[in-house]
Amino acid sequence: MSSLVKAVVMAGGSGSRLWPASRGLFPKQFLQLVGKETMLQSTLARISGIENSEVSVICNEEHRFIVSQQAHEAKFELGSIILEPVGRNTAPAIALAAFDALEGSGEAPLLLVMAADHVIENVAEFHAAVAVAKQQAAAGKIVTFGIVPESPHTGYGYIQRGETTDNGAYGVSRFVEKPDIETAKGYLDNGGYYWNSGMFLVAADVYLSELKAHRPDIYEACEKAYASKTKDVGFVRVDEDAFAACPDESIDYAVMEKTDKAVVVPLSAGWSDVGAWSSLWDIGEKDEAGNVSTGD
């Protein structure tokens, strides 16, 4: 198994809950919502401290030049920018990244799958969790990062941990949907549940093998779409018709809830998905009246 970490930054979301700041042609991952960098640039900076890593970004066709420009402004060299002709959720997007990572590679790299629009305040803790996850992924596991919950949040799915493994990881007992408030309180009281972060670490070939086993229709559509790709100055364009025919499915439903290779690594690093204006208030610096403001 290769020691190379290929970070895969998914930047295809629309951020509709942060309208009007976040818009279809300029969604939240490209905005300066927290600090002086855009959320994409903060994500790239977070990756740069991980040893032996490269980065690819997956985004919509219409956002390709924004991604390229923001990476250039951050003085960050991307391996490739994979363009989705249509949105088909995370399972197909990660499959395209896996095919791209394996092309011309002697060994299968480890894919560190991240969203471009998350906040992680304690980068050192994040890197420590990645180091634990690398050992698991190198052993053929599919690692998900479980956020240690700070409140009974009803806006996140949860992961119930199973038996402990080596080096601070746990088996996954089950994934659960976004709960009501009483159920969420029970999860916190139990202590064996984490927020589902939507971040993963898995060897490229292991992911494709599990996808093929559990959702061969998604695998075949992505394989066909990538086989007819074209490359142009760092942009990777897949076949539009083949990819459009792919089912719309998340990695959770397509793979994680079906595989026997899932493990969870706890992460307590000031994480937020900044999914709504209320999330910005949660992580923002408040004045004496409890208000959060930025700019004019």
Side-chain angles (χ1 to χ4, degrees):
M1 191 75 66
S2 172
S3 62
L4 174 65
V5 175
K6 187 90 170 184
V8 178
V9 179
M10 296 184 291
S14 61
S16 58
R17 286 180 293 170
L18 283 171
W19 184 89
S22 178
R23 308 177 302 282
L25 292 179
F26 209 82
K28 67 171 180 175
Q29 57 266 31
F30 307 125
L31 299 176
Q32 293 172 293
L33 293 176
V34 182
K36 296 181 179 179
E37 298 177 309
T38 70
M39 301 198 78
L40 171 63
Q41 289 171 334
S42 294
T43 302
L44 295 177
R46 190 179 307 137
I47 296 166
S48 64
I50 297 173
E51 184 180 3
N52 198 22
S53 62
E54 296 179 358
V55 181
S56 292
V57 175
I58 303 176
C59 68
N60 301 334
E61 174 81 23
E62 59 265 29
H63 297 150
R64 64 193 186 280
F65 292 123
I66 301 175
V67 169
S68 180
Q69 178 185 352
Q70 291 198 358
H72 178 73
E73 290 172 351
K75 297 179 173 58
F76 203 96
E77 185 175 349
L78 299 178
S80 59
I81 300 175
I82 303 169
L83 305 179
E84 291 182 295
V86 292
R88 285 297 179 264
N89 217 315
T90 54
I94 298 168
L96 294 181
F99 282 120
D100 190 63
L102 288 171
E103 187 173 68
S105 176
E107 294 181 287
L110 304 178
L111 303 182
L112 175 60
V113 180
M114 307 171 64
D117 55 0
H118 289 180
V119 168
I120 294 179
E121 295 175 347
N122 191 329
V123 175
E125 283 294 326
F126 171 66
H127 288 176
V130 170
V132 173
K134 282 175 66 175
Q135 298 178 47
Q136 296 290 326
K141 299 297 185 179
I142 304 178
V143 184
T144 182
F145 294 88
I147 306 302
V148 178
E150 300 172 353
S151 64
H153 207 295
T154 59
Y156 301 136
Y158 284 71
I159 303 166
Q160 183 182 20
R161 75 185 187 202
E163 295 295 320
T164 184
T165 64
D166 296 333
N167 303 316
Y170 297 87
V172 173
S173 179
R174 62 175 179 143
F175 291 86
V176 291
E177 299 289 344
K178 297 174 183 177
D180 59 36
I181 187 63
E182 292 304 320
T183 302
K185 288 178 180 177
Y187 291 162
L188 256 68
D189 292 341
N190 179 285
Y193 289 81
Y194 304 108
W195 292 339
N196 188 347
S197 70
M199 297 188 296
F200 305 90
L201 188 64
V202 57
D205 58 344
V206 171
Y207 177 74
L208 289 176
S209 176
E210 288 299 287
L211 182 66
K212 187 175 184 179
H214 299 294
R215 286 302 302 268
D217 52 343
I218 295 177
Y219 175 90
E220 290 164 8
C222 293
E223 182 182 41
K224 183 177 180 181
Y226 189 79
S228 300
K229 71 185 178 303
T230 60
K231 293 189 176 183
D232 174 28
V233 197
F235 297 121
V236 179
R237 287 183 173 86
V238 301
D239 184 86
E240 181 173 358
D241 291 338
F243 195 66
C246 182
D248 183 317
E249 191 72 278
S250 72
I251 180 178
D252 289 328
Y253 288 131
V255 175
M256 298 305 291
E257 293 185 1
K258 299 179 175 69
T259 184
D260 61 0
K261 299 180 182 296
V263 298
V264 58
V265 169
L267 176 63
S268 181
W271 173 91
S272 172
D273 72 345
V274 195
W277 290 111
S278 58
S279 300
L280 275 178
W281 183 86
D282 287 339
I283 64 175
E285 183 176 348
K286 300 165 185 64
D287 63 19
E288 293 178 355
N291 296 316
V292 173
S293 64
T294 182
D296 186 352

